[in-house]
Amino acid sequence: MTRSAKKRPMAATSTTGNAARVQGGFALLMALIFLLLISMLAIAASQHALLQERMAGSLRNAQQSRMNADTALRGAEYMLWMRASQPAARLHCTENAISPDDGCVVYRSYGAPYTAKGDVTRFRSAPGWLSDIGVEYMGPARRGYTSHPSQATAKLAENPRYIIEDLGVERPPGVGGLHESGNTGPNNGGQGQVAIHVYRITARATGGNANAVSIVQSTFDAPAMP
């Protein structure tokens, strides 16, 4: 009598488990790729925002410096006009140097202040800030502009400065040699008449950052007191 042998079942390979592992690995790879892309987009966006912030800050500093240079310019003009109405007050314009008290110098194209490295030339053209030339403008209240307790963002790096050049007497056109001329006011310089002088005012100012510097200039005529 023959005994039938029992067949043992063979171990089947689980293709379903392998497919799940492959899909899981692919999903992880795609997630990492998308995470990398999102990170790159976020970095690019933050860099763009930072650049925009810097540009806005630079524009604000430039506007601050221009407005405060104009403020110093108008302050110097007002000072000139007020002194002209006071018999005892006058500018101390000096030859070959800028006066330390009111920042005035007599214009001489051949003078030391007008050489390539002279004070007037440097004040009008130097790219950076100069703290050793001219007069510091402190404003009508004499408080300056570098400290604003109520407006911290309005502080300037430096107070504005200005110089005044006395260009000489204003004369009618066609009288004398090369000169500044005008048709208004008593400008013949005779006895009993007021001599009208032409002044050139140059003002410099910074914004909140000392690297932002604006330079403005105007001409202003006012009576020159003897």
Side-chain angles (χ1 to χ4, degrees):
M1 180 174 180
T2 61
R3 181 180 297 176
S4 60
K6 293 182 178 181
K7 294 182 179 180
R8 300 178 61 183
M10 297 179 64
T13 303
S14 178
T15 59
T16 303
N18 289 337
R21 284 194 296 271
V22 170
Q23 290 178 355
F26 182 75
L28 178 60
L29 178 61
M30 292 301 297
L32 291 175
I33 292 174
F34 276 109
L35 179 61
L36 177 62
L37 291 175
I38 292 173
S39 299
M40 292 174 64
L41 289 174
I43 293 173
S46 63
Q47 289 178 340
H48 182 70
L50 182 60
L51 178 62
Q52 291 291 328
E53 183 180 359
R54 288 177 177 174
M55 291 174 61
S58 297
L59 179 61
R60 184 177 186 277
N61 280 322
Q63 290 176 336
Q64 264 190 313
S65 65
R66 176 57 188 268
M67 288 189 293
N68 284 280
D70 283 332
T71 298
L73 196 71
R74 303 310 169 201
E77 291 176 351
Y78 180 75
M79 182 269 293
L80 276 174
W81 189 252
M82 289 301 296
R83 289 198 180 189
S85 64
Q86 301 171 10
R90 56 176 304 218
L91 289 176
H92 302 115
C93 302
T94 56
E95 298 270 358
N96 295 322
I98 299 173
S99 63
D101 55 347
D102 50 28
C104 189
V105 59
V106 177
Y107 173 73
R108 297 286 185 267
S109 60
Y110 50 81
Y114 294 90
T115 60
K117 295 183 179 180
D119 287 348
V120 174
T121 303
R122 289 175 56 214
F123 193 84
R124 292 194 308 207
S125 59
W129 182 246
L130 299 174
S131 59
D132 58 341
I133 302 176
V135 174
E136 187 176 27
Y137 182 70
M138 302 295 288
R142 304 295 299 171
R143 296 176 182 174
Y145 298 93
T146 57
S147 177
H148 283 267
S150 61
Q151 300 179 14
T153 58
K155 294 179 181 179
L156 298 182
E158 301 285 348
N159 285 316
R161 302 185 76 87
Y162 66 85
I163 63 172
I164 301 172
E165 300 169 75
D166 185 352
L167 302 182
V169 179
E170 180 186 68
R171 300 172 183 169
V175 175
L178 184 64
H179 62 273
E180 297 289 338
S181 63
N183 291 312
T184 59
N187 44 30
N188 291 328
Q191 185 176 3
Q193 292 186 343
V194 178
I196 304 296
H197 277 224
V198 179
Y199 298 96
R200 180 164 57 198
I201 306 167
T202 307
R204 298 169 62 96
T206 68
N209 189 319
N211 292 324
V213 178
S214 288
I215 306 170
V216 295
Q217 194 173 83
S218 71
T219 53
F220 188 82
D221 59 346
M225 304 307 297

